[in-house]
Amino acid sequence: MDYPIRHPEFRYKTEFQSHEPEFDYLKSLEIEEKINKIRWCQTANGALFLLSTNDKTIKFWKVQEKKVKKISEMNLDPSKAVGNGSVASSSNSTSPKPYLANGGSPDRSYSYLSNDFSFPPGGIPSLRLPTVVSSPETSLVARCRRVYAHAHDYHINSISNNSDGETFISADDLRINLWNLEISNQSFNIVDVKPANMEDLTEVITSAEFHPTHCNMLAYSSSKGSIRLNDLRQSALCDSHSKLFEEQEAPGSRSFFTEIIASISDIKFSKDGRFILSRDYMTLKLWDINMDAGPVSTFQVHEYLRPKLCDLYENDSIFDKFECCLSGDGMRVATGSYSNLFRVFGCAPGSTEATTLEASKNPMRRQVQTPSRPSRSLSSITRVVRRGADSPGVDANGNSFDFTTKLLHLAWHPSENSIACAAANSLYMYYA
């Protein structure tokens, strides 16, 4: 019997303002409220915890579902009359006047009292004082627990929480700081690539990530296309790396754009921590942390744009920072492109999977069927090479590319086979 495939259903949960626009008066610099990175932290007591950062300030948020508490009205039971039959106050009263403990009113004279009215001992029993009552309704409340500020001179490009559940790192162009989640006024500088003379600066930090299981290991990438693996057990200041991952450029291939397109915009560890996925402007590369000779797989993403590098440089598109992600089982990798497209590649041994989808309500509209062909094997991972169209006016699917619509942000669910893509002001969820 065939059972229908049940796709996960996503419902709106909540939203809140994380950062506000600020102004640094010392540097005469406006700080945008734009969020650069968001990272989930370990949950506790049914509450969600997350880190969010703009260019300068990191915040630690707690999002929790709480029961709505209401205050019952202070009123008199309208069914019971006072003395001569007049009602002192009803539940429909919008602005009840204050009453004394014995039921009298401080702003009224007592001349109206007649012989047929008498206060019972202890006051009027129908007077109800306001009390707090819980309702069956619940609401999500976001509360800022910590603010980590004034630790970065340059714009923060990465935050990554540690597997120990207690610490996280934040990285800007020249430094990486280590924080404790419970201490907001102190951090430790663990990586500093700032030269004594800024004229000697040759590369900057572009992304940083903690190892998913080993709390002492972290990796960071640079604008020169290299990835450095550091071990915090070796030294408090990680000036020297444990391993260096970089691919040597082919002889005679150097051009004006070589260093620009080699700059790594994002790195991600696989779930087991064995591989590192990196994204530069032209390609996705998969690295085995036990093999620093070169990447075990290279996936061509923007090869069809190589003839257009001059135009891309003129309109600054060559500096776009595309993110990358791996599936929870490590069998696929994905990254974004222009025209709201994103690419999914299979990285299992023998896989030739290479799919292009458009972030829209009809994702299959621009999908291209990739012909099956033998793949070259390098080490134990398959190298998948997918070349785009030769025409400079079209993308890999034969469509005219649009540099103004680009899919920079995407994420794979850690256990489900679903992927989230952000294009313009929309979020698209795909499930396979």
Side-chain angles (χ1 to χ4, degrees):
M1 181 177 178
D2 294 333
Y3 292 94
I5 299 175
R6 297 189 63 183
H7 298 295
E9 185 176 340
F10 295 92
R11 294 188 183 95
Y12 171 83
K13 198 170 184 71
T14 187
E15 63 183 69
F16 58 92
Q17 184 76 22
S18 175
H19 288 67
E20 299 286 349
E22 299 176 56
F23 190 82
D24 189 333
Y25 292 96
L26 291 176
K27 297 181 179 179
S28 297
L29 182 69
E30 289 186 12
I31 304 173
E32 292 183 279
E33 70 272 30
K34 179 177 67 74
I35 303 299
N36 292 343
K37 295 288 180 180
I38 296 175
R39 289 290 180 267
W40 290 106
C41 301
Q42 294 181 1
T43 59
N45 300 324
L48 301 173
F49 294 89
L50 60 95
L51 288 166
S52 64
T53 182
N54 63 356
D55 287 338
K56 296 291 184 180
T57 306
I58 307 163
K59 294 187 178 183
F60 182 48
W61 292 89
K62 178 181 181 181
V63 183
Q64 192 173 24
E65 197 172 66
K66 291 189 174 182
K67 287 188 175 181
V68 177
K69 292 186 177 181
K70 297 181 179 179
I71 298 177
S72 64
E73 294 181 9
M74 181 183 71
N75 59 0
L76 288 172
D77 191 341
S79 64
K80 295 185 179 180
V82 177
N84 58 5
S86 63
V87 178
S89 175
S90 70
S91 60
N92 296 327
S93 175
T94 56
S95 56
K97 296 180 180 179
Y99 289 90
L100 300 177
N102 60 0
S105 175
D107 58 349
R108 296 182 62 183
S109 65
Y110 289 87
S111 59
Y112 70 91
L113 295 176
S114 59
N115 292 333
D116 63 346
F117 182 88
S118 62
F119 286 104
I124 299 176
S126 61
L127 178 66
R128 296 202 302 268
L129 296 176
T131 57
V132 178
V133 294
S134 295
S135 72
E137 302 175 18
T138 59
S139 67
L140 280 164
V141 179
R143 187 163 65 92
C144 184
R145 296 285 303 274
R146 302 277 189 281
V147 177
Y148 314 91
H150 313 300
H152 288 278
D153 292 330
Y154 304 92
H155 290 177
I156 299 172
N157 56 46
S158 300
I159 51 174
S160 177
N161 42 313
N162 201 347
S163 59
D164 62 10
E166 299 178 359
T167 57
F168 71 94
I169 55 172
S170 59
D172 63 24
D173 291 341
L174 298 180
R175 293 188 176 95
I176 299 177
N177 293 333
L178 177 67
W179 301 82
N180 188 298
L181 283 169
E182 301 297 323
I183 303 171
S184 60
N185 60 356
Q186 186 181 35
S187 65
F188 296 95
N189 178 231
I190 56 176
V191 175
D192 190 347
V193 299
K194 184 178 181 180
N197 185 357
M198 285 296 285
E199 292 181 358
D200 298 331
L201 183 67
T202 58
E203 62 180 336
V204 296
I205 299 169
T206 57
S207 182
E209 179 107 343
F210 257 124
H211 192 281
T213 56
H214 299 321
C215 61
N216 55 285
M217 292 176 63
L218 64 101
Y220 69 92
S221 59
S222 81
S223 58
K224 277 195 168 182
S226 59
I227 302 172
R228 290 173 173 83
L229 192 66
N230 293 77
D231 192 336
L232 294 173
R233 296 172 299 183
Q234 290 182 346
S235 173
L237 184 62
C238 301
D239 285 331
S240 58
H241 49 266
S242 301
K243 284 190 176 181
L244 174 66
F245 304 94
E246 61 182 353
E247 189 172 28
Q248 301 300 323
E249 61 184 68
S253 63
R254 188 169 185 81
S255 69
F256 173 78
F257 304 108
T258 299
E259 284 196 11
I260 300 176
I261 62 176
S263 177
I264 295 175
S265 57
D266 190 29
I267 59 170
K268 291 288 193 307
F269 275 100
S270 60
K271 191 175 181 179
D272 59 3
R274 172 69 184 272
F275 300 98
I276 299 175
L277 181 68
S278 68
R279 171 71 153 97
D280 56 46
Y281 189 73
M282 305 297 285
T283 65
L284 268 176
K285 291 185 175 74
L286 191 66
W287 307 79
D288 187 331
I289 63 171
N290 296 328
M291 295 172 53
D292 52 7
V296 292
S297 283
T298 300
F299 310 95
Q300 300 294 341
V301 180
H302 280 165
E303 185 63 31
Y304 63 91
L305 292 178
R306 196 173 291 276
K308 304 284 289 183
L309 290 180
C310 285
D311 296 336
L312 294 164
Y313 180 78
E314 290 295 327
N315 62 23
D316 287 340
S317 294
I318 200 171
F319 301 106
D320 288 334
K321 308 296 183 186
F322 292 95
E323 292 182 359
C324 59
C325 61
L326 297 96
S327 60
D329 57 10
M331 305 296 283
R332 293 175 179 85
V333 296
T335 190
S337 182
Y338 294 107
S339 303
N340 284 350
L341 301 177
F342 66 99
R343 312 273 167 81
V344 180
F345 301 95
C347 56
S351 173
T352 59
E353 179 183 355
T355 306
T356 301
L357 295 172
E358 181 186 19
S360 70
K361 293 183 179 180
N362 184 14
M364 306 302 289
R365 183 162 63 93
R366 295 196 179 189
Q367 185 174 3
V368 172
Q369 296 296 329
T370 305
S372 58
R373 44 165 170 57
S375 59
R376 295 179 297 171
S377 178
L378 180 63
S379 181
S380 60
I381 307 293
T382 303
R383 177 187 294 270
V384 179
V385 179
R386 181 158 184 254
R387 303 193 178 279
D390 295 331
S391 172
V394 297
D395 63 14
N397 302 309
N399 301 289
S400 58
F401 43 67
D402 182 5
F403 297 134
T404 61
T405 56
K406 45 201 170 192
L407 199 153
L408 300 178
H409 310 288
L410 75 171
W412 214 301
H413 192 283
S415 56
E416 300 284 341
N417 193 22
S418 61
I419 190 169
C421 307
N425 60 349
S426 300
L427 179 67
Y428 297 92
M429 311 291 295
Y430 295 95
Y431 183 84

